[in-house]
Amino acid sequence: MSISTKEKIKSVTLSLFAQKGYDGTTMSEIANLVGIKKASLYAHFSGKEDLIFSVYEDLAQEYVDLMNRIISESDSMDVQDKLYYMFKQYISYYIDNPEIQAFWNQITLFTPPDISHKFYCHASNYDLKVQQWIETTLSEGINQGLIINGDTKKMAIAYRALREGLLNGMMVNPELNTVDNIKSLWEYFWFGIKGRG
Amino acid sequence: MSISTKEKIKSVTLSLFAQKGYDGTTMSEIANLVGIKKASLYAHFSGKEDLIFSVYEDLAQEYVDLMNRIISESDSMDVQDKLYYMFKQYISYYIDNPEIQAFWNQITLFTPPDISHKFYCHASNYDLKVQQWIETTLSEGINQGLIINGDTKKMAIAYRALREGLLNGMMVNPELNTVDNIKSLWEYFWFGIKGRG
Amino acid sequence: MSISTKEKIKSVTLSLFAQKGYDGTTMSEIANLVGIKKASLYAHFSGKEDLIFSVYEDLAQEYVDLMNRIISESDSMDVQDKLYYMFKQYISYYIDNPEIQAFWNQITLFTPPDISHKFYCHASNYDLKVQQWIETTLSEGINQGLIINGDTKKMAIAYRALREGLLNGMMVNPELNTVDNIKSLWEYFWFGIKGRG
Amino acid sequence: MSISTKEKIKSVTLSLFAQKGYDGTTMSEIANLVGIKKASLYAHFSGKEDLIFSVYEDLAQEYVDLMNRIISESDSMDVQDKLYYMFKQYISYYIDNPEIQAFWNQITLFTPPDISHKFYCHASNYDLKVQQWIETTLSEGINQGLIINGDTKKMAIAYRALREGLLNGMMVNPELNTVDNIKSLWEYFWFGIKGRG
DNA sequence: TATGAATGAGCTTTCATTCAT
DNA sequence: GATGAATGAAAGCTCATTCAT
């Protein structure tokens, strides 16, 4: 059986919203791309806000699942590999799904305030767990003498800043997007925090 | 003499555009905040696009001036200080002017495509020189044995990725915004590329 | 056996139409209150117009029955009691069924013209008989010397005007709605037409 | 100079609203009848609600002025003439301006509740004074022995009920609308309350 | 320079209705 | 009988822009 209309609508909405943001995405254009009439959208979603929130929920779940998978897959690795695996997989996910990255950017940075407040609580919640996992893993590294004794909170900030910055740089300049680059940048970070003895 | 209406319009536009983006910023709201009527805006600018482009040009010039100042002020410093000075001043500028950072984010990521193409050539142009300056400075460091022998292009990417990532992180979580954090993160980077002899 | 869906629909429609009028009553809301889906209404009625006309027909029949009952019940009374009985029972009926009164107001005064013309002929038809009964009864009164010799048509108009005006006043100001008031007002009328000899 | 657009809009709105009510009156039709485009209405009124409220305010003022005029003009008359003058002038005003009567009916009976609450306080306020004037005048009549000793409140209710009922009857059956009828009905009322000595 | 008035285009949403299942 | 999905039409409203004054 073919993909349901509801799913098609969400898929089209993701694309458009990622490119054009909340204001720039119109119900007309969504309907056109799905191949139905504007009014038909309202048989599936109660309105624009509901539609976009529904897309958001799917992606939030996808994000949670991804993080869980990465953490469980890296469970038996050593500290360096764990951190690198998370680093690489995270970047790869968004590089492979640029629309999803653009979607999150839109949500985080540029959705009208009366709409966006719904999203925040939901989203950041799970992120705290990931933050914790990174800090815990860095702690492990310190205990094992692999990483210099320092504030894991700050290291985690650096880790994330580098990751996000790289991801964004790759978005804007797609030629940066090579496995090679990911590895090199990772190593600069790793040497920066590596134990110096 | 008081600030000219034209300047007031640009100032209000910067604020609104930074917060709400291209679609979310309306000529009506600009006029209201300036204290004139919508139609009067057209005595100063030929339209919405022209108005925002004009704001853009001012900020682009400000950016060029800032970069020139940083580069010239750091002229006599040693390599590490030069790179750190640029790192710190750049971040400070945007932390002190969050609207300007938000403005650039809007321009870079979320302006309707038919509008945004005007901006790119202009803006990135000057950035190439800065990019070059960073790479040249890194080269100097390598020649002086301060920095490991490696691809300066990749190091520059890491440098910028960290900088942008940190800046964005500070935007979203203002409590990260401390001189202390900037210094710590910088040091992780510096140790990552520092000569290991 | 439980009330049929068709009857439930009509009952809900009466309520909504009385409160909100033709335009304000939507098929959606009717369906919601009945507990079925909008589309299901069309299994029972061919459309909105048909549905409301059907409610109208029921109420028109109810009105006819009421008038017949009042007239037959008052058959053996004397003239004054006859007229007062009709006066009181008529008012009581609408006071006890405010939705029905509101329904008739909506029909009479505020239904879109392309819809309402269907109703008129039907409704006013029976009313003529009542009008006649009132005039005949007044004539009786005149013949018996109870009522001043005058134009029974005009007296009937006064009778009805007072009745309708009182009913409407009671609708708007429910505190007027007392048996006492009905009786007092009736007496003003009765003394107004009573024989003065 | 010709009638202003704003006035023309209000005039058209009065007509349409009187005929079709709140829901039935559309901004499109108003604009068409005025001879401008729909969007232009919003240069004069902030929306449908504002527009209709504005019409309402004009009519409320007109009503206040009318009542003041009637009361002052009848100042030196005797009691019977005073009450009859008010009765006749009030009815005449609405008979001459059927749209205004229909407008008030719409407002009082059939405007969506979220809109109508704005109107009530405003309108009924002034009506209390008129109510009082009627009762005071009836009291005068009682003191002068012209009117039977009774509850002036109830007499006033009858007075108004008859007036409203007659007015509505005349609306529905225009052939009732004759000076003759007004006078006859008035006399039934007057004899009903007249002193019987 | 500034503005009131106007407008074409387009927005989100609602509604009565249809029809295959 | 009942329903999910679809639709044409139309609603109220907003927006960038124009133009005479």
Side-chain angles (χ1 to χ4, degrees):
Chain A
M1 204 196 63
S2 79
I3 188 174
S4 77
T5 301
K6 190 160 187 169
E7 288 306 314
K8 221 191 270 180
I9 293 171
K10 289 203 280 191
S11 156
V12 164
T13 301
L14 168 57
S15 278
L16 286 178
F17 186 88
Q19 286 167 58
K20 310 187 170 194
Y22 191 88
D23 291 318
T25 302
T26 71
M27 298 301 265
S28 276
E29 200 177 359
I30 293 170
N32 279 345
L33 287 175
V34 172
I36 58 177
K37 303 300 170 192
K38 198 173 31 164
S40 312
L41 293 173
Y42 293 83
H44 300 279
F45 299 93
S46 71
K48 190 177 183 179
E49 214 176 308
D50 177 43
L51 169 50
I52 283 167
F53 191 71
S54 175
V55 173
Y56 157 80
E57 283 182 314
D58 286 1
L59 293 181
Q61 189 54 51
E62 200 172 301
Y63 176 74
V64 168
D65 293 346
L66 173 70
M67 289 297 115
N68 282 338
R69 219 199 58 223
I70 292 173
I71 289 172
S72 100
E73 281 174 356
S74 68
D75 193 46
S76 58
M77 300 179 185
D78 63 30
V79 164
Q80 178 176 2
D81 285 348
K82 254 185 193 165
L83 289 169
Y84 179 52
Y85 189 69
M86 169 64 85
F87 189 83
K88 205 180 62 182
Q89 292 297 108
Y90 180 94
I91 290 177
S92 296
Y93 171 68
Y94 285 116
I95 288 295
D96 292 346
N97 300 282
E99 275 178 351
I100 296 180
Q101 199 204 357
F103 182 92
W104 285 117
N105 278 335
Q106 294 283 5
I107 290 285
T108 318
L109 299 171
F110 309 106
T111 296
D114 49 315
I115 311 292
S116 71
H117 77 284
K118 270 194 184 172
F119 295 88
Y120 279 122
C121 32
H122 236 253
S124 347
N125 230 11
Y126 189 78
D127 232 29
L128 284 179
K129 291 192 192 167
V130 178
Q131 175 75 13
Q132 210 118 61
W133 179 88
I134 296 171
E135 288 178 34
T136 305
T137 309
L138 287 165
S139 279
E140 265 182 68
I142 292 172
N143 290 339
Q144 293 169 18
L146 295 167
I147 295 175
I148 53 167
N149 203 337
D151 183 348
T152 55
K153 209 154 203 149
K154 279 182 190 158
M155 287 177 200
I157 292 167
Y159 177 90
R160 290 164 73 95
L162 187 67
R163 192 179 69 179
E164 297 306 313
L166 180 56
L167 193 48
N168 261 307
M170 284 175 170
M171 237 38 210
V172 179
N173 288 36
E175 77 270 16
L176 299 182
N177 171 15
T178 66
V179 178
D180 215 34
N181 264 329
I182 300 178
K183 196 163 170 58
S184 295
L185 298 215
W186 163 256
E187 278 169 359
Y188 293 139
F189 174 75
W190 179 250
F191 278 112
I193 63 168
K194 197 175 137 179
R196 282 146 196 150
Chain B
M1 202 197 64
S2 77
I3 190 173
S4 77
T5 301
K6 189 159 188 169
E7 287 306 314
K8 219 191 267 179
I9 293 170
K10 289 203 282 192
S11 158
V12 164
T13 302
L14 168 56
S15 275
L16 286 179
F17 186 88
Q19 286 168 57
K20 310 186 169 192
Y22 191 87
D23 291 316
T25 302
T26 71
M27 298 299 266
S28 274
E29 199 177 0
I30 293 170
N32 277 345
L33 287 175
V34 171
I36 58 177
K37 303 297 171 194
K38 194 169 42 158
S40 313
L41 294 172
Y42 293 83
H44 299 278
F45 300 93
S46 72
K48 189 178 183 179
E49 226 177 289
D50 178 42
L51 170 50
I52 281 165
F53 192 70
S54 176
V55 173
Y56 158 80
E57 281 182 315
D58 287 1
L59 293 180
Q61 190 55 50
E62 201 172 300
Y63 176 74
V64 168
D65 292 346
L66 174 71
M67 289 297 114
N68 282 338
R69 218 198 62 223
I70 292 172
I71 290 173
S72 99
E73 281 173 356
S74 69
D75 194 46
S76 58
M77 300 179 184
D78 64 28
V79 163
Q80 178 176 1
D81 286 348
K82 254 186 194 165
L83 290 169
Y84 179 52
Y85 190 69
M86 169 64 86
F87 189 83
K88 205 180 60 181
Q89 292 298 106
Y90 180 94
I91 289 177
S92 296
Y93 171 67
Y94 285 116
I95 288 295
D96 292 346
N97 300 281
E99 275 181 350
I100 297 181
Q101 198 202 0
F103 182 92
W104 286 116
N105 277 336
Q106 294 282 4
I107 291 285
T108 317
L109 299 171
F110 309 106
T111 298
D114 49 315
I115 311 289
S116 71
H117 78 284
K118 273 196 184 171
F119 294 89
Y120 278 122
C121 30
H122 235 253
S124 348
N125 232 10
Y126 188 78
D127 230 30
L128 284 180
K129 290 191 194 170
V130 177
Q131 174 76 11
Q132 212 118 57
W133 178 88
I134 294 171
E135 286 178 33
T136 305
T137 308
L138 287 165
S139 281
E140 263 182 71
I142 293 173
N143 290 339
Q144 293 169 17
L146 295 167
I147 295 174
I148 53 167
N149 202 339
D151 183 345
T152 55
K153 210 158 200 140
K154 280 181 191 157
M155 287 178 199
I157 291 167
Y159 178 89
R160 290 164 73 94
L162 187 64
R163 194 181 65 182
E164 297 306 314
L166 181 55
L167 193 47
N168 261 306
M170 284 176 171
M171 241 30 214
V172 178
N173 287 35
E175 77 273 15
L176 299 182
N177 171 17
T178 66
V179 179
D180 215 38
N181 264 331
I182 301 181
K183 198 164 166 57
S184 295
L185 297 215
W186 162 256
E187 277 168 0
Y188 293 138
F189 174 74
W190 179 250
F191 278 113
I193 64 167
K194 202 176 133 178
R196 281 143 198 153
Chain C
M1 201 197 63
S2 78
I3 188 174
S4 78
T5 302
K6 190 159 186 166
E7 286 307 314
K8 219 192 267 179
I9 293 170
K10 289 202 282 192
S11 157
V12 164
T13 301
L14 167 57
S15 275
L16 287 178
F17 187 88
Q19 286 167 56
K20 310 187 172 193
Y22 190 87
D23 291 318
T25 301
T26 70
M27 299 299 266
S28 276
E29 200 177 358
I30 293 171
N32 278 344
L33 287 175
V34 172
I36 58 176
K37 302 299 169 191
K38 191 168 43 158
S40 313
L41 293 172
Y42 292 83
H44 299 278
F45 300 92
S46 74
K48 189 178 182 177
E49 225 175 290
D50 176 42
L51 169 51
I52 283 167
F53 191 72
S54 175
V55 173
Y56 158 81
E57 282 183 315
D58 287 1
L59 293 181
Q61 189 55 51
E62 202 172 301
Y63 177 74
V64 167
D65 293 346
L66 173 71
M67 288 298 113
N68 283 337
R69 218 198 60 224
I70 291 172
I71 289 171
S72 99
E73 282 174 355
S74 68
D75 193 46
S76 58
M77 299 180 185
D78 64 29
V79 164
Q80 177 176 1
D81 286 347
K82 254 187 196 166
L83 290 169
Y84 178 52
Y85 190 68
M86 169 64 85
F87 189 82
K88 203 181 61 180
Q89 291 299 104
Y90 180 93
I91 290 178
S92 296
Y93 171 66
Y94 286 116
I95 288 294
D96 292 345
N97 300 281
E99 274 179 352
I100 297 181
Q101 197 202 1
F103 183 92
W104 285 117
N105 277 336
Q106 294 283 4
I107 290 286
T108 317
L109 299 171
F110 309 106
T111 296
D114 50 315
I115 311 291
S116 70
H117 77 284
K118 272 194 185 173
F119 296 88
Y120 278 122
C121 28
H122 235 253
S124 347
N125 231 10
Y126 189 77
D127 232 28
L128 284 179
K129 291 192 192 167
V130 177
Q131 174 76 12
Q132 212 117 58
W133 178 88
I134 294 170
E135 287 177 34
T136 305
T137 308
L138 287 164
S139 280
E140 265 181 70
I142 292 172
N143 291 339
Q144 294 169 17
L146 295 167
I147 295 175
I148 53 168
N149 202 340
D151 183 346
T152 55
K153 209 158 202 145
K154 280 184 191 158
M155 286 178 201
I157 292 168
Y159 178 88
R160 291 164 72 95
L162 186 66
R163 192 180 66 180
E164 297 306 313
L166 180 56
L167 193 47
N168 261 306
M170 285 177 171
M171 236 35 210
V172 178
N173 287 35
E175 77 270 17
L176 300 183
N177 171 17
T178 66
V179 178
D180 213 36
N181 266 329
I182 300 180
K183 194 162 172 57
S184 295
L185 297 213
W186 162 256
E187 279 169 359
Y188 294 137
F189 174 74
W190 179 250
F191 278 110
I193 63 170
K194 198 175 139 179
R196 281 144 200 151
Chain D
M1 205 197 62
S2 77
I3 188 174
S4 76
T5 302
K6 190 159 188 167
E7 287 307 314
K8 218 190 275 177
I9 293 170
K10 289 201 283 192
S11 155
V12 164
T13 301
L14 168 57
S15 277
L16 286 177
F17 186 89
Q19 285 167 56
K20 309 187 171 195
Y22 191 87
D23 290 319
T25 301
T26 73
M27 297 301 265
S28 278
E29 199 178 0
I30 294 170
N32 280 345
L33 287 175
V34 172
I36 58 177
K37 303 299 168 189
K38 194 174 33 164
S40 311
L41 293 173
Y42 293 84
H44 300 279
F45 299 93
S46 70
K48 189 178 183 178
E49 213 176 309
D50 177 42
L51 169 50
I52 282 165
F53 191 71
S54 177
V55 173
Y56 157 80
E57 281 182 315
D58 287 1
L59 293 180
Q61 188 56 51
E62 203 172 298
Y63 176 73
V64 168
D65 293 346
L66 174 69
M67 289 297 114
N68 283 335
R69 220 199 59 224
I70 291 172
I71 288 172
S72 100
E73 282 174 356
S74 68
D75 193 46
S76 58
M77 300 177 183
D78 63 30
V79 163
Q80 178 177 1
D81 286 348
K82 254 186 196 166
L83 289 169
Y84 179 52
Y85 189 69
M86 169 65 86
F87 190 83
K88 204 180 60 180
Q89 291 298 105
Y90 180 95
I91 290 178
S92 297
Y93 170 68
Y94 285 117
I95 289 294
D96 291 345
N97 300 282
E99 276 179 350
I100 296 181
Q101 198 204 0
F103 182 92
W104 286 117
N105 277 337
Q106 294 283 2
I107 290 286
T108 318
L109 299 172
F110 308 106
T111 296
D114 49 317
I115 311 290
S116 71
H117 77 285
K118 272 195 186 171
F119 295 88
Y120 280 123
C121 30
H122 235 251
S124 349
N125 231 10
Y126 188 78
D127 232 29
L128 285 179
K129 290 190 193 169
V130 178
Q131 174 76 13
Q132 212 117 58
W133 178 90
I134 295 171
E135 288 178 32
T136 305
T137 308
L138 288 165
S139 281
E140 264 181 71
I142 293 173
N143 291 338
Q144 294 169 19
L146 294 168
I147 295 176
I148 53 166
N149 202 338
D151 184 346
T152 55
K153 209 154 201 148
K154 280 183 191 157
M155 287 179 199
I157 291 169
Y159 178 89
R160 292 163 71 93
L162 187 65
R163 191 180 68 179
E164 297 306 313
L166 180 55
L167 193 47
N168 261 308
M170 285 176 171
M171 239 33 212
V172 177
N173 287 36
E175 77 272 15
L176 300 182
N177 170 17
T178 66
V179 177
D180 214 37
N181 265 329
I182 300 179
K183 199 165 165 56
S184 296
L185 297 216
W186 163 257
E187 279 169 356
Y188 295 136
F189 174 74
W190 180 249
F191 279 111
I193 64 168
K194 201 175 134 179
R196 280 140 201 158

